[in-house]
Amino acid sequence: MHRKALDELAHRAEGRGGVLGVVVQSANGEYASVNADRAFTAASLIKLPVMLALLDGVEAGRWSLDDRLPVRDRVGGAGILRDLADVADLSVRDLVTLMIVISDNTAANLLIDRIGAPAVADWCGRHGLRATVLERRMMDAEARARGAENRTSPADMAKLLDGLVRGTLLGPAMTAFALDVLARQQVRDRLPRYLPAGLRIAHKTGELDGLRHDVGIIFTNAPIIVAALTENADEADDLIAESARRAVQSQPLFRSL
């Protein structure tokens, strides 16, 4: 994929002071980026390193996917647990699924509390995610008011996804579990929007006021990673979707897209 294609999309984002950061890379060595190292407010993308730090701990024997956690301190925003008053506890496995598939904020907080923010920081540090920081739980307005914010960059998200799809971050069982959960993501209005029906994509979205993100692995003949983050960009969903379409167009089988 040519950098020019991403520059054009980034220019569109800048129309009213917006920003688009994108990294596109494929298993065959193609790479293009714009604003790759810019730190963005992570929104729900921070749930990706939370998941991987947790699965790393599962492999190390520190906890288990079968552990059951009491459902408490329900918070608003994305998710369903806030509305399920009769659910007393859930397995870590189901909480991970809820955190990723429907971006449940209560599930994310329960998992953050289970492993601890230092475990996430340690995992990010060990894997070279220099711009990725977990500073607060989900929907913590008081922490945000103090200036505490979760952050990441397109380059960090691409590095995380590349390690996941190559199997260098986790063993086979946990890698398969993580990719399966990401492939069941229910928000489909960004990276998948212009892709052919049936094309597998494992991805995670994020959004807050003025922010729209989507990062994922598109399983073409050579898996393609697209990490697209936006801030204050008009038509952000379309810019992200176009990033994915243009990335896939670089593959011979999909040039008619």
Side-chain angles (χ1 to χ4, degrees):
M1 182 176 182
H2 296 294
R3 165 69 184 266
K4 183 179 178 181
L6 295 184
D7 285 341
E8 177 188 332
L9 294 176
H11 182 70
R12 281 175 53 189
E14 293 166 2
R16 295 186 182 179
V19 180
L20 169 69
V22 184
V23 169
V24 174
Q25 64 185 78
S26 70
N28 61 19
E30 293 182 1
Y31 181 92
S33 70
V34 61
N35 296 318
D37 295 318
R38 186 186 190 277
F40 288 79
T41 298
S44 285
L45 294 188
I46 201 65
K47 295 167 184 174
L48 268 173
V50 170
M51 175 177 71
L52 294 183
L54 183 143
L55 297 180
D56 182 72
V58 169
E59 289 189 332
R62 290 192 291 274
W63 39 74
S64 168
L65 291 178
D66 295 323
D67 292 343
R68 299 193 72 83
L69 303 181
V71 178
R72 56 193 177 195
D73 299 329
R74 290 170 167 83
V75 297
I80 190 66
L81 285 180
R82 66 181 185 228
D83 299 314
L84 301 181
D86 293 333
V87 175
D89 60 75
L90 284 168
S91 68
V92 167
R93 179 183 292 100
D94 284 347
L95 289 169
V96 171
T97 300
L98 286 167
M99 177 177 71
I100 299 299
V101 173
I102 61 171
S103 208
D104 193 288
N105 288 325
T106 299
N109 285 346
L110 292 171
L111 295 174
I112 290 169
D113 292 347
R114 179 69 177 89
I115 68 175
V120 180
D122 176 71
W123 187 90
C124 290
R126 284 190 286 115
H127 295 287
L129 305 188
R130 296 182 179 87
T132 302
V133 180
L134 171 66
E135 290 193 346
R136 65 171 179 84
R137 300 163 85 247
M138 304 301 109
M139 304 303 292
D140 189 339
E142 291 184 5
R144 291 195 77 189
R146 295 194 304 268
E149 192 51 274
N150 304 323
R151 303 191 70 81
T152 192
S153 68
D156 275 13
M157 288 291 101
K159 180 181 287 189
L160 180 155
L161 293 168
D162 182 62
L164 180 60
V165 76
R166 291 179 185 274
T168 60
L169 300 181
L170 299 166
M174 290 300 102
T175 295
F177 173 76
L179 290 173
D180 176 67
V181 172
L182 288 166
R184 288 187 273 146
Q185 166 65 241
Q186 291 191 2
V187 180
R188 307 279 297 176
D189 61 351
R190 281 161 251 178
L191 287 181
R193 180 188 293 186
Y194 299 134
L195 301 183
L199 188 62
R200 187 177 184 230
I201 175 171
H203 65 120
K204 181 72 190 79
T205 59
E207 61 188 80
L208 288 169
D209 289 345
L211 303 171
R212 305 285 281 187
H213 308 324
D214 202 354
V215 303
I217 305 159
I218 305 168
F219 290 91
T220 64
N221 50 316
I224 301 171
I225 292 164
V226 181
L229 286 69
T230 73
E231 183 177 296
N232 298 323
D234 289 343
E235 300 179 343
D237 290 354
D238 192 64
L239 291 172
I240 294 169
E242 277 291 339
S243 299
R245 174 158 63 182
R246 296 183 188 201
V248 172
Q249 280 177 332
S250 67
Q251 304 295 306
L253 293 177
F254 297 96
R255 284 180 180 156
S256 63
L257 275 174

